Amino acid sequence: MTKFNIFSLIKNSLSYHENWEQHWRSPEPKKEYDIVIVGGGGHGLATAYYLASEFGITNVAVLEKGWIGGGNTGRNTTIIRSNYMWDESAKIYEHSLKLFEGLSQELNYNIMFSQRGVLNLAHNVHDLQEMSRRGTAIKLNGIDTTFLNPEQIKEKVPLINLNGRYPILGGLFQPRAGSARHDAVAWGYARSADKLGVDIIQNCEVQGFDIKNGKVQGVKTTRGNIKTKKVGIVCAGHSSVIADMAGFNLPLETVPLQALVSEPIKPVLDTVVMSNAVHVYLSQSDKGELVIGAGTDEFVSYSQRGSFDVIEHIMPPIIELFPFTSRLRQLRQWGGMTDCTTDRSPIISKTPVDGIMINCGWGTGGFKATAGSGNVFASSLAKGEMHPIAQPFSIDRHYDGYLIDEAAAAGVAH
Amino acid sequence: MTQKNRLPKGGRINRQKELSFKYDGKNYIGYDGDTLASALLANDVHLVGRSFKYHRPRGIMSAGVEEPNALVQLETGEYGEPNTRATQLELYNNLTAKSQNCFPSVKYDIGAFNRLISRFIPAGFYYKTFMPNMKGWMFFEKFIRRTAGLGKSTGLPDPDHYARKTVYCDVLVAGGGPAGLVSALNAGKTGARVILMDEQNEMGGWGLTSPNMQIDGKKAIDWISDMLSKIAKLDNVQVVPRCSVIGYFDYNFLTAVERVTDHLGAGNGGSKPRQRFWRIRAKQVILAQGALERPMLFAENDKPGVMMSSSIRTYINRFGVLAGDNIVITTNNDTAYFSALDALNAGAKVTIIDIRKDLKSDLLEKVNEKGITVHKNSAIVNVKGAHRVKAVEMMKLSDDGKSCIGEKREISCNLVGMSSGWTPTVHLYSQARGKLKWDEQRTMFIPDSCQQNVQCVGGCNGTMDMSDTLNESAVSGVKAGKLSGNKSVSATKHKAVSHTEQPPRNLWIIPGEKPITRDRKHFHDFQNDATVTDILLAGREGYLSVEHLKRYTTTGMATDQGKTSNINALAIMAEYRGLTIPEVGTTTFRPPYSTTTIGAIAGEAVGELFEQDRRTPMDAWHKSHDAVYEPVGDWSRARYYPKNGEDMYEAVQRETLATRTSVGVMDGSTLGKIDIRGKDAGKFLDLVYTNVFSSLKSGFCRYGLMLNEHGMVWDDGVTARISENHYHMTTTTGGAGRVYEWLEELHQTEWPEMEVFITSVTEQYAVATLNGPNSAKVLSKICKDIDLDNEAFPFMTFRNGTISGIPATVYRISFTGELSYEINVPARYGLQLWQEIIKAGKEYDICPYGTETMHVLRAEKGFIIVGQDTDGTLTPMDLGMNWIVSKKKPDFIGKRSFARIDTSRQGRKQFVGLLTDDKNIILPEGAHIIESKSIEPHVNMLGHVTSSYMSPNCGHSIALALIEDGFNLKGKKVNVATIEGKVYSASVVDTVFFDKEGKRING
Ligand SMILES: Cc1cc2nc3c(=O)[nH]c(=O)nc-3n(C[C@H](O)[C@H](O)[C@H](O)COP(=O)(O)OP(=O)(O)OC[C@H]3O[C@@H](n4cnc5c(N)ncnc54)[C@H](O)[C@@H]3O)c2cc1C
């Protein structure tokens, strides 16, 4: 693998960039793999990468029905943070954040993770109470967080309107949080996994499983049958469809979530700003676009688009909090299908089928977990036993009640 | 000041009305009817900006919405606006604009340094470098951020206002060119309600660019006004200019944005909105948006002075501007010949470079006759000039078109027109989820099939012949009218003088002097500075799918959304992969079709009208008595009433004490109130509450807990049975909307067979709550027709009566543990009721108190506040409220979840009281109960403090908390850690701190 750095860039410039190698191959599927990963999103690719890099398992295929990163990985608003309230969540998201901190170097691919911080706003006494509780829990979990008063918020985010309809009373700031380039995360993992021997097979849709006596024997795809004794399903919005093929149900619903961007402008906003009371979350990308998260639709859908009213209802709050945005223009909007569990926590779990494990339910907020989720899922697949960080996220919690209720804790999580 | 390039006559401009404007600090004159782009070109200004990445000088490339280059910073101060397309900006007097993305000026731009290093920064270079470590990247990122972005935001609030409009129609026609006009006329004749929208300031579309074309025996320009007057006679057809249809969603729901007063100039809109956002539900849609010309991908095709060949024609015919007098037009198809002829007629010298080999067009003879030289089988290999085209260099093409051969010839010129064919504007069709098919002969994606009620006509449908366009539009118009339920009429018939097109030659990449990777830059996406070699690099590196290609090279991601670049990029990738274009795929077109002002989408719902600040009927009194407010949901509630400079703590201590000593009154109007009626109302309530309501006697009240399906406490409140089939439910203030929707949903989806009617009546009643030992005395002064005796009017019942003549319902319920009356009156009497109470209470020093005191009073009694003491993870048992969970009822929401292992296990978090060792310490709410005495990394957290106050009635601080296995910890000490890192010692106690026996409830 050509090492990417300024020297290789210059060297290749001198040969007119004619000699760059492909970042990943487009191999034909083999007859059999040790492990098959279904779904070539960030989580699936990360899983394959860690299987190869940490566990030396390289006879692995990632099967993607479209193009890698084309699901929610390439559609999200790229917020990365670990300031979650419940211990179980804090553990996995912080594990992920730590991996993200060194990921560009590890993958030798600039995923542009920049720690410009995430600011959550409080607009009423209830928000402040919640923030105090969450802030204390986060601190006790050893994760960075600070409480900012309105003046400090204004200093950090000069264009914010402190005294709108719902005045800003304070905020919780995580300095190490930030955003990254979503595509690069998928591509970086793909490139490194490929170099370690993983086959990334695009345009290959899984359409069924070969299961005998409750044990998986292989997968049926649009590019033929592939034998394997271990399958990891990482299909986000399509998880329930795939689970259905394997004969089990998932306690989740798939709903559309939308986002939009403005035309690019010169920098006006460094940190990510989120407000539950005013229903805003936005950041500014390196390209200069304001990246604005909208809400979920209330109906179940597998089509990668949402309703217009969700988009139109996000505009007044954005203007309320950032009045200058009124004269900017919206450039583009899009939607993804988010796999939401009732407690808004993921499922990383064994399944009723021996040999099949599933990693899903990340819903509206799993981009930040890409590295951590891939890492613990790889370990679980390799060892056949759930990684300790993954254990609390078993499917069973939806039956036995051991919920990790981030929905109750924070509303919509991104 | 002369307008050097303005033709002596012609165009749709009003030469009587001169407008002065300023561009990059210099003053110019243009005419009414100009766009900023046409006015600049009239003044021979071509250089208008610098490109995004390489900071290359750029000029005006088109005359419309597809413009990638001419984005300007419009106005300054509060009316300032970045990234405005000069080609769509109608000129107004005193307009001021500047070039963007350049410093210090568009001519001398420091950023142009990037051109020198352009070789080292191909597509995706940033993925390969800037990453020594986290810090290093953050360092580089600062510079990257500064250089990225296009224009500047003002940072100021928007002084303009916007409007929104929702309409229904039979037929929506998007696009007012010849096709749209004929469609609208024919649909209109069926009697259908028709809306015709066009993004330009006047209807006519292509007809305005080619005004001399013969249609139905007339010049196109006269034919258009003829059509418009016919349409004007139909009352059922609405014509909306300056209105872009931008979104096409499910069930024929479309959005459009109308620029109502933008053209009058900043601040000149008067009382009219700046823009109006249209939400349209149309039974039938006709898309007549035309087609967009594609640029030709030769070396240095981005120099100022290189523009689309049809735009040269538009500027001549529509604006009376000849953008250059020595023109080279290069093309692969016939349409550019018409531009050449019009330019020649306007007085320019014209040369044509046609990449086609054997040309047998009648056009060829025609232009030759007029003295235009046509170089066949030739291509431009270089464009000379820095800030403006000076000359082009031309060579012959090899047979396969893959390379250039022979001598290089230089042709001097000051304007280059290019055309590489046409792309139907299928964006909206594609948004509607219409399928496209590839037409290989004409190299275009054309509409195929769509689930929605939509037809495409004219250019948008790939129909390039004018007669065909008009006739298919007429038929479509009639069809749309009929399908939307109107009468059938016969379609109008049309005839235009047509020209038979010769086939184009498809060379997606125009070869240069050197192999493409080593040649000068051939741009395909001008705004994002993406070149042909970027596409090839993406291919080489494995970014083969269209979406990877787009994302890796940023093709199509600019503010023009790839209107001129998508097809070229797709074709080059197809060629690289040896596939056909449809095999490579199409890209998805995402709304909006063109960029849309955020303020317009928000409409009126900003500022005061953002979200209503709800106030109770008693608000005027609170305001005049210096209440300090707190937002609760969307209500503003009085939090406390400071006297003599008290702070909140002092005021609340006083109010709390006064209430228990004598009497206090609180405005409880915000409490959620839901009226529930019907013969199954009792049964219904039995399912939504944990306890039984069907057995409640009329005239009685009961406190109830609502759970979610996980068995977790979700809302609470007192519900009274008014009569056999009629209940009055109360909810928390914040939960009112939620609970109401939940009940409706349950009724509609789970138990539709039940006869229940659920009505929100929160705002129908004003509520004053009297509390304290003297409350009966105060009430008796103003209420004569209710016997307040404890036996006649016991706790948990209600009575109807009158209070100072006002009809009232008085509930004997209590959230403070005191003798208490909740008085409900029709909302309009709220203020009067309040004043009567205050007056009557005077002799008892009645104390009005707010939400904060209410919190302290209820905490003294250990009453929960749902949402503060609960967080959606607590069962009634966790709260020590086992008594409220019916053992007898076969089912209620949440019941099944009690059987879950986790829900029924021992040692869950439980609701307890806390007393700090130091009675003056008020624990911060949110502080955590931890296992050890000091804060160590990964210390075990056992729970948290949910409520905490200084209790004046107890004489010490009190706190409520949720602690693992809390019930068993009673009497034991725990450690409480705060966010600041302090640790306090406290004992776990019962939740009732005051009046443990509950004696005060009867006064
Ligand atoms: C608008 C939006 C904004 C968001 N914002 C944030 C945010 O700010 N921060 C954050 O942390 N998270 C955010 N998220 C959530 C985040 O995007 C997802 O949780 C995360 O990307 C999921 O990654 P994944 O790899 O599991 O899924 P995906 O990227 O969706 O990958 C699943 C893959 O499986 C493939 N697949 C499906 N079926 C099959 C089959 N039968 N055979 C083969 N392959 C199949 C799909 O094509 C897809 O590529 C957002 C999501 C959306 C939609």
Side-chain angles (χ1 to χ4, degrees):
Chain A
M1 183 164 95
T2 313
K3 184 129 178 93
F4 287 160
N5 55 32
I6 185 81
F7 304 109
S8 62
L9 192 60
I10 291 174
K11 193 176 130 221
N12 276 286
S13 300
L14 299 179
S15 56
Y16 304 95
H17 304 288
E18 286 166 358
N19 300 320
W20 288 111
E21 4 171 296
Q22 57 186 5
H23 292 184
W24 52 83
R25 299 159 295 132
S26 301
E28 282 303 312
K30 288 193 248 174
K31 289 228 154 46
E32 181 161 7
Y33 288 95
D34 293 344
I35 299 182
V36 165
I37 305 293
V38 187
H43 287 233
L45 293 164
T47 306
Y49 166 73
Y50 291 114
L51 277 172
S53 69
E54 274 192 20
F55 300 94
I57 304 174
T58 56
N59 187 22
V60 174
V62 177
L63 308 183
E64 166 54 50
K65 74 170 175 173
W67 37 284
I68 57 168
N72 291 346
T73 298
R75 293 165 183 272
N76 71 85
T77 47
T78 78
I79 296 167
I80 296 177
R81 61 186 179 90
S82 65
N83 53 355
Y84 279 72
M85 192 176 78
W86 301 111
D87 295 358
E88 297 86 345
S89 313
K91 275 202 187 102
I92 190 156
Y93 290 109
E94 177 64 9
H95 180 54
S96 193
L97 180 55
K98 287 211 174 103
L99 287 170
F100 266 120
E101 285 177 318
L103 202 56
S104 290
Q105 291 72 39
E106 178 171 354
L107 299 178
N108 180 230
Y109 199 100
N110 193 350
I111 60 148
M112 301 182 203
F113 176 37
S114 52
Q115 297 179 302
R116 280 176 277 109
V118 166
L119 176 66
N120 288 76
L121 298 175
H123 296 270
N124 52 45
V125 178
H126 182 260
D127 283 355
L128 285 173
Q129 288 165 339
E130 190 274 333
M131 216 162 254
S132 163
R133 175 186 181 191
R134 192 150 59 95
T136 311
I138 293 164
K139 261 218 163 124
L140 293 174
N141 269 320
I143 298 169
D144 61 318
T145 186
T146 42
F147 182 82
L148 301 183
N149 63 32
E151 293 78 60
Q152 292 165 315
I153 290 173
K154 190 80 187 167
E155 214 167 286
K156 237 183 200 1
V157 189
L159 293 181
I160 205 165
N161 174 19
L162 288 179
N163 301 309
R165 165 71 181 83
Y166 301 103
I168 293 168
L169 306 181
L172 209 55
F173 184 64
Q174 183 180 22
R176 284 165 59 243
S179 59
R181 176 97 185 99
H182 49 17
D183 293 329
V185 172
W187 301 341
Y189 273 123
R191 173 169 166 263
S192 289
D194 175 90
K195 289 302 164 306
L196 293 170
V198 172
D199 281 356
I200 294 162
I201 302 165
Q202 303 186 72
N203 301 310
C204 178
E205 180 174 349
V206 171
Q207 295 185 317
F209 293 91
D210 180 8
I211 297 166
K212 277 205 191 84
N213 303 326
K215 277 195 176 139
V216 70
Q217 310 295 324
V219 294
K220 300 173 188 160
T221 81
T222 45
R223 296 175 67 174
N225 294 347
I226 299 171
K227 282 197 195 134
T228 185
K229 292 271 188 287
K230 278 187 182 181
V231 174
I233 300 174
V234 206
C235 286
H238 272 298
S239 298
S240 38
V241 179
I242 314 280
D244 192 48
M245 295 175 194
F248 60 94
N249 282 331
L250 284 177
L252 53 78
E253 284 183 341
T254 293
V255 294
L257 173 69
Q258 297 180 77
L260 59 118
V261 291
S262 75
E263 292 183 342
I265 49 170
K266 294 290 174 199
V268 289
L269 180 68
D270 276 343
T271 62
V272 181
V273 177
M274 316 178 75
S275 158
N276 277 345
V278 190
H279 306 294
V280 164
Y281 77 99
L282 94 168
S283 59
Q284 188 174 18
S285 72
D286 283 351
K287 201 177 169 201
E289 298 156 338
L290 293 183
V291 182
I292 299 169
T296 50
D297 271 302
E298 303 219 346
F299 50 81
V300 173
S301 166
Y302 292 102
S303 84
Q304 280 177 328
R305 71 166 177 182
S307 317
F308 178 70
D309 65 312
V310 173
I311 295 291
E312 71 183 331
H313 285 132
I314 199 65
M315 300 306 191
I318 292 283
I319 296 172
E320 178 65 16
L321 213 54
F322 291 98
F324 74 93
T325 56
S326 175
R327 280 188 100 75
L328 300 182
R329 278 178 290 253
Q330 180 201 349
L331 170 54
R332 194 180 323 119
Q333 75 197 44
W334 65 90
M337 301 168 304
T338 55
D339 39 338
C340 296
T341 57
T342 43
D343 62 359
R344 293 298 182 112
S345 285
I347 293 168
I348 315 173
S349 182
K350 293 187 181 173
T351 70
V353 182
D354 205 2
I356 299 184
M357 287 187 182
I358 193 160
N359 183 350
C360 63
W362 293 97
T364 59
F367 175 68
K368 64 178 79 64
T370 306
S373 142
N375 189 266
V376 301
F377 197 47
S379 159
S380 310
L381 280 165
K383 297 183 179 163
E385 272 316 313
M386 300 319 291
H387 186 283
I389 290 182
Q391 262 164 20
F393 298 100
S394 133
I395 292 186
D396 293 342
R397 76 174 188 280
H398 291 277
Y399 305 102
D400 60 27
Y402 284 89
L403 300 179
I404 302 157
D405 208 337
E406 291 294 342
V412 179
H414 297 285
Chain B
M1 259 162 288
T2 57
Q3 298 180 41
K4 181 168 169 256
N5 294 337
R6 186 76 70 179
L7 294 167
K9 59 183 191 357
R12 311 284 298 161
I13 46 170
N14 176 4
R15 292 172 194 255
Q16 307 312 311
K17 196 166 163 197
E18 282 196 352
L19 302 173
S20 59
F21 69 101
K22 201 181 225 168
Y23 189 74
D24 276 342
K26 267 176 91 173
N27 291 313
Y28 300 97
I29 298 288
Y31 292 125
D32 187 30
D34 263 326
T35 61
L36 175 61
S38 69
L40 284 170
L41 290 172
N43 287 284
D44 206 32
V45 178
H46 274 267
L47 173 63
V48 292
R50 290 277 174 167
S51 70
F52 190 70
K53 185 167 160 192
Y54 304 123
H55 287 253
R56 290 171 63 107
R58 288 283 167 80
I60 296 159
M61 193 175 111
S62 73
V65 64
E66 70 271 36
E67 178 60 33
N69 291 336
L71 305 186
V72 301
Q73 182 87 34
L74 177 62
E75 303 299 341
T76 53
E78 55 179 359
Y79 287 102
E81 187 185 277
N83 308 340
T84 302
R85 271 186 287 275
T87 50
Q88 288 193 299
L89 173 59
E90 290 179 53
L91 196 66
Y92 53 82
N93 207 24
N94 295 329
L95 180 150
T96 305
K98 271 194 334 214
S99 315
Q100 295 188 152
N101 212 31
C102 50
F103 178 83
S105 77
V106 68
K107 281 208 173 121
Y108 310 101
D109 171 32
I110 290 179
F113 168 72
N114 285 6
R115 289 185 72 180
L116 299 178
I117 57 160
S118 70
R119 173 172 196 177
F120 305 105
I121 52 175
F125 76 98
Y126 30 74
Y127 298 124
K128 296 179 176 136
T129 179
F130 300 130
M131 48 174 171
N133 50 38
M134 198 66 225
K135 264 212 177 117
W137 159 244
M138 299 279 293
F139 173 81
F140 289 122
E141 195 205 22
K142 267 200 200 97
F143 293 96
I144 293 174
R145 283 175 83 79
R146 241 175 266 162
T147 51
L150 294 167
K152 289 194 185 93
S153 158
T154 61
L156 300 169
D158 188 346
D160 279 316
H161 73 278
Y162 302 84
R164 274 153 52 97
K165 180 169 177 156
T166 302
V167 293
Y168 298 83
C169 66
D170 291 333
V171 183
L172 174 70
V173 182
L181 290 172
V182 172
S183 300
L185 177 66
N186 280 278
K189 289 202 315 179
T190 68
R193 288 174 306 154
V194 180
I195 301 177
L196 168 64
M197 291 177 159
D198 192 289
E199 64 188 2
Q200 314 238 14
N201 63 334
E202 62 173 325
M203 301 286 145
W206 180 251
L208 304 174
T209 292
S210 96
N212 298 319
M213 180 184 15
Q214 290 290 311
I215 305 178
D216 296 339
K218 294 191 183 80
K219 282 183 160 194
I221 201 74
D222 300 326
W223 178 87
I224 290 169
S225 49
D226 214 46
M227 291 299 288
L228 282 170
S229 57
K230 279 183 189 152
I231 289 172
K233 289 204 187 91
L234 298 172
D235 286 343
N236 51 328
V237 183
Q238 185 182 7
V239 180
V240 192
R242 299 190 173 96
C243 187
S244 318
V245 182
I246 51 169
Y248 197 144
F249 302 87
D250 291 340
Y251 305 105
N252 266 13
F253 175 73
L254 293 96
T255 54
V257 64
E258 180 189 355
R259 298 183 312 280
V260 184
T261 57
D262 272 330
H263 62 288
L264 302 177
N268 291 335
S271 60
K272 287 198 180 147
R274 179 183 173 216
Q275 297 177 359
R276 176 178 295 120
F277 194 80
W278 291 64
R279 310 160 84 253
I280 308 153
R281 184 79 66 178
K283 286 187 187 156
Q284 295 285 328
V285 171
I286 295 178
L287 298 177
Q289 299 173 280
L292 295 172
E293 200 172 20
R294 292 196 289 259
M296 192 180 263
L297 311 192
F298 52 85
E300 302 291 296
N301 58 350
D302 69 324
K303 291 266 168 78
V306 179
M307 65 166 73
M308 310 307 310
S309 88
S310 62
S311 302
I312 295 180
R313 202 172 174 205
T314 303
Y315 285 116
I316 293 170
N317 292 320
R318 190 156 173 196
F319 300 102
V321 172
L322 183 61
D325 57 5
N326 186 8
I327 307 176
V328 169
I329 287 180
T330 182
T331 184
N332 77 340
N333 67 82
D334 280 3
T335 39
Y337 282 72
F338 293 98
S339 303
L341 286 169
D342 283 1
L344 189 84
N345 287 339
K349 172 172 183 278
V350 183
T351 311
I352 294 179
I353 302 176
D354 196 320
I355 65 169
R356 290 177 290 187
K357 279 186 264 190
D358 19 56
L359 267 176
K360 285 185 222 73
S361 173
D362 51 333
L363 279 172
L364 189 62
E365 281 164 34
K366 209 164 167 187
V367 297
N368 279 337
E369 246 167 53
K370 303 233 170 177
I372 295 178
T373 317
V374 178
H375 301 278
K376 284 187 272 187
N377 194 26
S378 303
I380 295 176
V381 296
N382 187 21
V383 179
K384 290 184 151 179
H387 295 163
R388 171 79 184 267
V389 174
K390 286 209 180 85
V392 297
E393 294 183 320
M394 179 187 74
M395 285 170 79
K396 284 267 174 242
L397 284 162
S398 65
D399 259 357
D400 63 358
K402 296 267 190 272
S403 54
C404 283
I405 47 174
E407 288 286 290
K408 189 163 75 178
R409 272 185 62 185
E410 183 168 317
I411 304 173
S412 75
C413 59
N414 56 15
L415 188 69
V416 175
M418 57 179 169
S419 178
S420 180
W422 292 81
T423 300
T425 310
V426 291
H427 300 64
L428 289 177
Y429 186 76
S430 164
Q431 282 183 32
R433 301 249 153 149
K435 290 204 179 62
L436 303 173
K437 62 175 180 239
W438 179 249
D439 181 328
E440 182 57 36
Q441 228 238 306
R442 293 177 301 165
T443 62
M444 49 175 73
F445 277 109
I446 55 175
D448 187 7
S449 64
C450 183
Q451 298 277 341
Q452 306 217 43
N453 295 326
V454 58
Q455 304 174 70
C456 296
V457 294
C460 182
N461 197 29
T463 310
M464 289 300 162
D465 179 80
M466 187 53 82
S467 292
D468 293 351
T469 289
L470 300 175
N471 291 319
E472 91 180 5
S473 302
V475 171
S476 294
V478 170
K479 187 174 160 201
K482 235 174 78 186
L483 285 174
S484 55
N486 297 281
K487 65 173 187 266
S488 185
V489 295
S490 54
T492 54
K493 296 255 171 1
H494 303 274
K495 182 134 189 59
V497 174
S498 345
H499 150 79
T500 325
E501 293 264 329
Q502 295 300 303
R505 179 179 190 187
N506 292 315
L507 285 187
W508 297 104
I509 306 171
I510 302 299
E513 287 183 85
K514 295 185 191 156
I516 187 72
T517 47
R518 304 178 177 213
D519 197 33
R520 301 180 178 94
K521 291 198 180 321
H522 302 229
F523 286 92
H524 73 279
D525 190 302
F526 293 74
Q527 193 182 127
N528 269 350
D529 264 353
T531 67
V532 169
T533 50
D534 288 333
I535 302 174
L536 300 178
L537 177 64
R540 193 172 307 127
E541 298 196 304
Y543 297 85
L544 301 175
S545 90
V546 184
E547 288 294 331
H548 282 164
L549 165 71
K550 273 176 71 175
R551 287 153 186 259
Y552 194 63
T553 63
T554 72
T555 297
M557 309 294 263
T559 67
D560 55 2
Q561 297 247 41
K563 291 192 179 62
T564 54
S565 63
N566 278 340
I567 297 294
N568 279 330
L570 211 64
I572 293 168
M573 182 52 96
E575 210 165 78
Y576 175 84
R577 295 181 61 186
L579 300 172
T580 64
I581 290 173
E583 277 171 329
V584 173
T586 52
T587 63
T588 26
F589 295 97
R590 289 175 170 147
Y593 167 65
S594 54
T595 58
T596 305
T597 308
I598 286 177
I601 306 175
E604 299 92 346
V606 292
E608 295 239 296
L609 298 179
F610 167 51
E611 264 172 28
Q612 198 194 343
D613 179 7
R614 293 169 81 187
R615 302 279 174 149
T616 72
M618 290 82 144
D619 192 60
W621 192 93
H622 306 324
K623 233 183 250 160
S624 63
H625 289 76
D626 300 325
V628 174
Y629 287 86
E630 98 169 294
V632 182
D634 43 12
W635 291 96
S636 287
R637 297 191 72 180
R639 192 173 188 191
Y640 58 96
Y641 304 83
K643 272 188 182 164
N644 316 321
E646 284 171 330
D647 61 12
M648 180 167 92
Y649 178 84
E650 291 158 349
V652 169
Q653 293 295 301
R654 171 179 53 74
E655 291 172 8
T656 309
L657 212 51
T659 303
R660 291 220 193 272
T661 324
S662 176
V663 58
V665 61
M666 188 192 71
D667 180 353
S669 306
T670 65
L671 217 63
K673 303 177 228 18
I674 300 173
D675 183 89
I676 298 171
R677 296 179 198 228
K679 72 173 168 37
D680 296 316
K683 209 160 105 191
F684 182 77
L685 289 175
D686 281 352
L687 284 164
V688 299
Y689 278 125
T690 59
N691 43 350
V692 186
F693 279 79
S694 53
S695 64
L696 188 69
K697 287 200 199 76
S698 294
F700 281 77
C701 313
R702 189 163 284 167
Y703 172 78
L705 273 187
M706 247 179 236
L707 310 184
N708 63 19
E709 283 152 332
H710 296 300
M712 305 299 157
V713 173
W714 192 68
D715 206 81
D716 69 345
V718 170
T719 290
R721 189 168 202 165
I722 309 292
S723 62
E724 177 63 17
N725 295 332
H726 185 190
Y727 291 82
H728 178 85
M729 172 190 279
T730 63
T731 72
T732 57
T733 296
R738 244 189 353 238
V739 172
Y740 171 71
E741 282 171 13
W742 172 234
L743 297 182
E744 263 306 338
E745 184 180 332
L746 286 172
H747 179 219
Q748 291 182 26
T749 63
E750 301 297 323
W751 312 305
E753 71 285 358
M754 285 196 191
E755 188 190 298
V756 220
F757 305 94
I758 306 155
T759 315
S760 163
V761 292
T762 302
E763 284 171 333
Q764 273 57 48
Y765 296 98
V767 181
T769 310
L770 270 177
N771 279 287
N774 288 327
S775 52
K777 288 180 195 141
V778 175
L779 186 57
S780 66
K781 285 175 70 181
I782 47 177
C783 176
K784 304 291 181 202
D785 51 4
I786 300 176
D787 183 352
L788 297 182
D789 181 78
N790 267 326
E791 295 207 342
F793 185 6
F795 187 50
M796 294 312 263
T797 61
F798 72 88
R799 296 289 178 267
N800 291 317
T802 52
I803 293 177
S804 306
I806 309 167
T809 307
V810 181
Y811 296 84
R812 255 210 73 190
I813 53 182
S814 176
F815 195 37
T816 58
E818 295 294 321
L819 175 64
S820 171
Y821 300 92
E822 235 174 69
I823 306 163
N824 285 243
V825 298
R828 62 181 177 281
Y829 297 118
L831 184 57
Q832 190 193 341
L833 169 74
W834 185 266
Q835 285 163 338
E836 296 287 347
I837 292 172
I838 297 286
K839 205 159 69 190
K842 207 155 187 192
E843 65 178 285
Y844 300 100
D845 278 334
I846 191 165
C847 176
Y849 68 89
T851 51
E852 196 61 28
T853 293
M854 167 186 79
H855 287 174
V856 182
L857 288 167
R858 64 87 205 182
E860 288 177 337
K861 291 293 296 175
F863 296 148
I864 58 163
I865 289 188
V866 172
Q868 176 171 349
D869 300 296
T870 69
D871 62 0
T873 67
L874 299 160
T875 66
M877 287 67 87
D878 299 338
L879 295 167
M881 294 169 82
N882 309 41
W883 53 269
I884 204 168
V885 181
S886 163
K887 304 274 178 308
K888 283 184 246 144
K889 282 199 296 188
D891 200 11
F892 56 85
I893 289 175
K895 183 178 165 103
R896 61 109 205 194
S897 297
F898 292 159
R900 286 172 159 184
I901 301 169
D902 181 60
T903 320
S904 58
R905 79 183 154 89
Q906 298 296 305
R908 287 172 57 85
K909 279 191 187 159
Q910 290 152 347
F911 190 54
V912 294
L914 281 184
L915 288 178
T916 43
D917 291 3
D918 177 347
K919 66 179 187 165
N920 293 317
I921 295 285
I922 307 168
L923 293 168
E925 285 160 355
H928 272 58
I929 308 357
I930 56 172
E931 208 158 48
S932 54
K933 282 208 162 54
S934 61
I935 299 175
E936 289 143 18
H938 305 294
V939 58
N940 222 358
M941 291 176 248
L942 304 174
H944 77 285
V945 176
T946 60
S947 297
S948 174
Y949 314 92
M950 177 55 71
S951 160
N953 295 304
C954 299
H956 54 73
S957 72
I958 56 172
L960 297 166
L962 291 166
I963 307 183
E964 276 175 28
D965 206 20
F967 297 154
N968 284 327
L969 288 177
K970 279 190 190 158
K972 303 224 169 77
K973 291 266 179 210
V974 290
N975 307 302
V976 187
T978 72
I979 195 164
E980 286 91 23
K982 289 205 185 98
V983 181
Y984 297 103
S985 169
S987 357
V988 179
V989 295
D990 188 69
T991 48
V992 186
F993 297 96
F994 185 76
D995 179 30
K996 285 196 196 296
E997 306 76 29
K999 280 196 228 133
R1000 301 173 66 96
I1001 202 72
N1002 285 325

